Amino acid sequence: MLTALSIRDVVLIEALDLEFGAGLGVLTGETGAGKSILLDALGLALGGRGDSGLVRQGAAQAVVTASFELSPRAAGVSALMAENGLEMEPGEPLIIRRIVKADGGSRAFVNDQPASVGLLRELAPHLVEIHGQHDDRGLLNPRGHRALLDVYGRCDTAAVAHAHRDWRDSEEALAAARAEQDAAERDREWLEHAVAELRALSPEQGEEEQLAERRATMQRGEKIAGDLQSVADLLDGSDGALTRVRQAARILDRIAEDHAALAEALAAVDRAIIEASSAQERVDEAAEALAFDPAALEADEARLFDLRGLARKHRVQPDELAALTGELGDRLDRLESGGAGIAKLEAAVALARAAYEKAAAKLSGERSKAAKRLDAAVAAELKPLKLDAARFRTVVAQLPEEQWGAAGMDRVEFEISTNPGADFAPLIKIASGGELSRFILSLKVALAEEGGAATLIFDEIDRGVGGAVASAIGERLARLATGSQLLVVTHSPQVAARGNRHLLIAKSHDGTVTRTGVTPLDADQRREEIARMLSGAEITAEARAQAERLIETA
């Protein structure tokens, strides 16, 4: 909802600060007072063309600031802010500021963060709908008619969207399988050879590291085998150190009692035997660990060479050969059974398509029923708005298959015929002037505002009508404004009398400068303005009395 509008140096407006609220707000004033300037200023904040001609003469720049209180209806605003890298706290108002320089160029800010004019245009449909004499957006855009009908008829599109996604997923799976099958057929000979070669080698995960470590160990053992044997001979050979020490221990054992020193010598020799024996055990352990078989070493080296050679051939690491064997094997298996797999996928596509068509047909039926209800609702609104010769219809037609999508297979468009016997055609191509705004109003009332922005603005919707028709327009505007915000620029006292708030737009001249100003009216001022609208330049007592009656009966 638009809560405030601040305008500085825009055409004839020098400085203007306005506040707005919920309900129906009316803007009145004499012809040429500058009502269009107010809408142009708001349009500038919503991404309109930043023409330097909008800058008030003598000013360096024009500035428009529009503040909005966001409702659940504007949920898309937060998404747009996030997509454009702009921060916004939950519950925070949206403040748009647009600056246009007199020498050309413009800048835009959203919540004091620099933004593009393109973003303002994207935000605009979520914030304000402006319907005027030459409006070609909103309800007049056929691209939005299907969504409006779905909301009006409470048509559930989720099942169709889900079925469409399943159908597309199954088609993608089939296309991928066919592409793989075609590629595999082209590479069949290579694939068969590669799988046979890999399976013959039968590589295992981690095998290269194990082979390399085992080969290195055997190579070290081969290098020091002679030294190990020499150590073993020196320690435990027939003439080795341990043999000699043990002989010395036996002799000392016989004579140790003859002297204390001999007993100590025997103890020392026993310890030497223990340490030497331990050393011999460690040497034997090392010799066993480093033992090598020339045939085994040659076999390991050959295996390692084959693994690394095959890895280079397939441009993978040796440890990846086991996984590659499985992968290529699976491809070959799929190739062998490809026909059956593709047939299965084709059947899945057919089932998914049938499910989509069934769901889409059901949705089409719901739309057709909703279209009849909407046609009747709009028809009921046309006669009171002096459009009794017009006819309205909602066209629900099937699209070509290539245009079917997540929203179904239907094209939806609103069409009218303004004269008996005339062909139906799109709204924008037939309606003109005040007719256009009244058609939009009838649609808006019938649709109960579903799918629209939180703020609606109608520019001179009552042009060319009066009396009972103007009263009917005012009644419908008031009904449409219930629980929301609607602003209307009007020349009709019947419409103005329905307003919850009344703003008077007037032009003043001090002899050198012409300015446009806007004044919120209190109850007395409002009655006086409606009386002026009834009687013209001279306000009579009768006009004041009639204005009072209009306000009381509104």
Side-chain angles (χ1 to χ4, degrees):
M1 180 178 71
L2 178 66
T3 57
L5 183 65
S6 174
I7 304 172
R8 296 290 184 273
D9 297 319
V10 174
V11 193
L12 299 179
I13 299 176
E14 184 175 6
L16 186 62
D17 294 294
L18 298 173
E19 293 184 355
F20 301 91
L24 178 62
V26 297
L27 293 84
T28 65
E30 295 182 358
T31 301
K35 295 184 290 296
S36 62
I37 299 175
L38 204 62
L39 296 183
D40 288 342
L42 179 58
L44 192 63
L46 296 173
R49 183 179 176 184
D51 193 334
S52 59
L54 291 171
V55 181
R56 189 172 65 87
Q57 188 174 2
Q61 62 183 25
V63 183
V64 178
T65 304
S67 300
F68 296 90
E69 179 183 296
L70 300 181
S71 66
R73 189 183 303 177
V77 170
S78 297
L80 283 171
M81 293 282 283
E83 288 173 12
N84 286 270
L86 301 180
E87 297 179 357
M88 186 172 186
E89 296 294 330
E92 181 182 7
L94 185 75
I95 301 174
I96 299 175
R97 180 160 52 98
R98 181 84 181 278
I99 301 172
V100 177
K101 297 181 179 179
D103 57 359
S106 71
R107 291 182 295 161
F109 300 86
V110 177
N111 286 8
D112 289 328
Q113 301 167 88
S116 67
V117 175
L119 174 59
L120 303 191
R121 294 194 188 103
E122 289 184 85
L123 290 170
H126 299 277
L127 302 171
V128 177
E129 284 185 31
I130 301 177
H131 299 292
Q133 301 299 313
H134 308 289
D135 188 10
D136 59 354
R137 300 168 295 170
L139 292 175
L140 302 185
N141 189 342
R143 286 181 295 181
H145 292 175
R146 185 171 61 192
L148 286 169
L149 180 64
D150 287 344
V151 174
Y152 173 78
R154 292 180 172 81
C155 302
D156 183 10
T157 61
V160 174
H162 181 74
H164 181 263
R165 184 169 58 252
D166 288 347
W167 180 22
R168 292 299 174 228
D169 288 347
S170 62
E171 285 191 323
E172 289 174 4
L174 175 59
R178 283 173 171 166
E180 183 178 356
Q181 182 82 357
D182 291 343
E185 285 290 353
R186 290 193 298 271
D187 299 332
R188 176 188 281 273
E189 184 176 347
W190 172 86
L191 191 59
E192 289 175 341
H193 172 75
V195 171
E197 189 176 37
L198 284 164
R199 285 176 176 171
L201 186 62
S202 189
E204 297 179 1
Q205 178 75 23
E207 184 180 6
E208 184 212 18
E209 183 179 356
Q210 293 174 2
L211 286 170
E213 184 176 348
R214 193 164 66 196
R215 183 188 66 169
T217 300
M218 285 193 290
Q219 287 173 336
R220 289 196 302 271
E222 182 182 20
K223 183 177 180 180
I224 66 173
D227 292 336
L228 288 174
Q229 186 59 49
S230 296
V231 172
D233 290 344
L234 288 170
L235 285 175
D236 202 27
S238 59
D239 196 29
L242 269 172
T243 300
R244 291 176 177 271
V245 173
R246 289 189 182 103
Q247 290 173 351
R250 285 194 292 272
I251 295 171
L252 285 171
D253 186 52
R254 293 197 301 269
I255 63 175
E257 295 180 355
D258 294 334
H259 195 279
L262 293 174
E264 292 176 0
L266 177 59
V269 170
D270 285 341
R271 290 195 296 273
I273 292 172
I274 293 172
E275 292 297 327
S277 297
S278 177
Q280 178 62 44
E281 290 174 0
R282 301 285 83 76
V283 170
D284 291 344
E285 182 181 330
E288 183 179 353
L290 295 171
F292 75 97
D293 177 355
L297 176 59
E298 184 179 353
D300 283 353
E301 286 182 331
R303 176 74 176 175
L304 195 57
F305 178 83
D306 290 343
L307 283 172
R308 289 174 175 174
L310 201 55
R312 285 194 300 272
K313 181 177 181 179
H314 289 284
R315 298 180 181 179
V316 298
Q317 294 300 315
D319 271 354
E320 297 173 352
L321 286 173
L324 182 64
T325 303
E327 180 184 334
L328 295 183
D330 289 344
R331 282 180 58 185
L332 185 59
D333 291 343
R334 287 196 299 272
L335 178 60
E336 299 297 339
S337 61
I342 287 177
K344 185 176 180 180
L345 289 171
E346 287 174 339
V349 169
L351 286 174
R353 177 194 172 105
Y356 171 80
E357 290 181 340
K358 181 178 179 180
K362 180 182 178 183
L363 178 59
S364 296
E366 293 175 1
R367 284 172 174 160
S368 295
K369 292 177 182 178
K372 291 179 180 179
R373 296 198 304 272
L374 179 60
D375 293 351
V378 173
E381 297 293 331
L382 294 178
K383 186 174 182 179
L385 296 177
K386 204 177 179 181
L387 295 169
D388 45 313
R391 292 174 297 152
F392 172 88
R393 74 178 182 186
T394 304
V395 176
V396 180
Q398 184 168 315
L399 290 164
E401 183 176 336
E402 61 270 16
Q403 295 181 29
W404 292 359
M409 56 176 67
D410 303 315
R411 174 183 67 85
V412 176
E413 186 170 357
F414 302 147
E415 294 183 344
I416 62 167
S417 168
T418 54
N419 297 300
D423 291 336
F424 280 91
L427 256 175
I428 196 170
K429 292 186 178 180
I430 292 183
S432 62
E435 264 189 347
L436 179 61
S437 292
R438 280 180 279 150
F439 268 116
I440 292 171
L441 178 60
S442 65
L443 263 173
K444 271 293 180 183
V445 172
L447 292 168
E449 302 178 85
E450 297 291 354
T455 298
L456 294 173
I457 299 177
F458 284 92
D459 184 14
E460 299 187 9
I461 191 174
D462 49 16
R463 173 174 290 187
V465 300
V469 176
S471 294
I473 291 173
E475 186 273 330
R476 281 155 178 78
L477 289 171
R479 192 197 320 168
L480 194 57
T482 302
S484 61
Q485 182 185 55
L486 193 150
L487 303 175
V488 57
V489 177
T490 181
H491 290 286
S492 168
Q494 291 92 338
V495 172
R498 292 277 183 174
N500 304 110
R501 291 176 179 79
H502 195 144
L503 299 177
L504 175 63
I505 304 173
K507 189 184 295 183
S508 62
H509 186 73
D510 61 5
T512 57
V513 178
T514 301
R515 296 181 177 85
T516 289
V518 180
T519 305
L521 302 183
D522 59 24
D524 292 337
Q525 293 169 327
R526 180 186 177 206
R527 183 177 58 251
E528 197 72 4
E529 169 62 7
I530 294 174
R532 181 200 64 77
M533 296 170 73
L534 286 164
S535 64
E538 183 179 347
I539 302 175
T540 64
E542 182 181 349
R544 290 189 176 93
Q546 188 176 354
E548 189 69 39
R549 285 194 295 273
L550 283 176
I551 294 171
E552 288 177 355
T553 57

